[in-house]
Amino acid sequence: MDIEIRNMRISDISKIAKYDLIMLGETLGEETIKRHIKNNNLMRYFVMETKKDKAFIGQVSLWIDEDKAQINNFYIIKDFQGKKFGKKFMNYIMSYFKSIRIKEVTLEVRNSNKVAINLYESYGFKVITTRNNYYPNGENALLMYLMIGSE
Ligand SMILES: CC(C)(COP(=O)(O)OP(=O)(O)OC[C@H]1O[C@@H](n2cnc3c(N)ncnc32)[C@H](O)[C@@H]1OP(=O)(O)O)[C@@H](O)C(=O)NCCC(=O)NCCS
């Protein structure tokens, strides 16, 4: 299936906020996302969709500060999971980082999220610390780190 990855648009936001709740259990909220897209040069939002029907597949938000980046709110919606779209999105994100000369990348992931941990490890990310009781349900977060060029 042909896919496209593009910048998030204001017209995507209400759909994104809805899927954030379904996929992540929380959302920054429509107003905050809108403000980030319009005014915040540190945040970049990308959407993956099918090329033909423009069906929403997933999204990511990236926090960029000079040569450092953080991957936030990354997901592929349920119907499209396990079909290599996460990998395609990660390939895009990693190429994007290289194109803007990012050197260090961090992300947080739930201790129990083996699928995401496997995916990130396949790109060379390593767990560098655990943040205890990080999530509202008391679950620990793993902080993962990648130095680009060392993978
Ligand atoms: C994590 C997520 C983005 C992965 O996307 P996906 O499209 O389902 O994954 P892919 O089909 O591209 O698989 C990529 C890799 O993930 C891992 N993976 C995928 N399905 C897996 C499974 N059932 N069990 C273990 N690892 C799995 C593997 O490393 C796989 O690579 P491989 O097929 O070469 O072994 C997606 O499952 C998701 O959105 N999950 C819910 C939200 C979430 O957890 N986001 C990340 C927050 S940090």
Side-chain angles (χ1 to χ4, degrees):
M1 186 188 301
D2 286 345
I3 54 105
E4 190 166 38
I5 298 172
R6 59 164 175 81
N7 288 316
M8 191 181 291
R9 302 180 189 125
I10 300 291
S11 57
D12 295 314
I13 293 177
S14 59
K15 177 177 60 194
I16 296 297
K18 192 184 79 183
Y19 277 116
D20 282 354
L21 287 176
I22 297 169
M23 297 306 304
L24 304 170
E26 58 185 0
T27 177
L28 289 172
E30 293 190 34
E31 286 311 312
T32 302
I33 300 172
K34 192 183 282 179
R35 212 172 47 242
H36 284 171
I37 290 179
K38 281 183 158 172
N39 308 321
N40 188 335
N41 288 334
L42 297 178
M43 298 295 296
R44 317 275 157 89
Y45 288 76
F46 294 100
V47 165
M48 179 187 269
E49 61 190 10
T50 60
K51 203 161 195 166
K52 192 159 164 258
D53 305 329
K54 311 292 176 206
F56 178 70
I57 299 176
Q59 71 122 21
V60 71
S61 63
L62 306 173
W63 174 83
I64 309 283
D65 186 13
E66 298 188 349
D67 62 357
K68 295 185 176 54
Q70 186 168 311
I71 300 176
N72 298 317
N73 299 341
F74 176 42
Y75 58 81
I76 299 294
I77 65 169
K78 285 224 157 48
D79 286 352
F80 290 95
Q81 285 179 10
K83 298 174 181 165
K84 309 285 182 197
F85 291 112
K87 251 181 155 156
K88 283 188 181 152
F89 217 152
M90 276 301 291
N91 288 343
Y92 179 89
I93 293 165
M94 296 306 294
S95 301
Y96 177 68
F97 284 156
K98 285 175 187 167
S99 76
I100 60 168
R101 302 191 193 292
I102 295 294
K103 293 203 175 81
E104 294 177 276
V105 187
T106 52
L107 61 89
E108 284 155 3
V109 59
R110 283 176 185 267
N111 192 38
S112 62
N113 193 348
K114 301 300 175 214
V115 173
I117 295 166
N118 283 344
L119 175 64
Y120 299 137
E121 282 179 342
S122 73
Y123 287 84
F125 282 85
K126 301 249 179 328
V127 175
I128 52 165
T129 192
T130 301
R131 293 178 168 160
N132 292 320
N133 300 314
Y134 188 78
Y135 295 102
N137 70 349
E139 190 173 350
N140 297 346
L142 305 181
L143 181 68
M144 300 189 80
Y145 172 85
L146 174 71
M147 186 180 283
I148 292 184
S150 68
E151 66 272 27

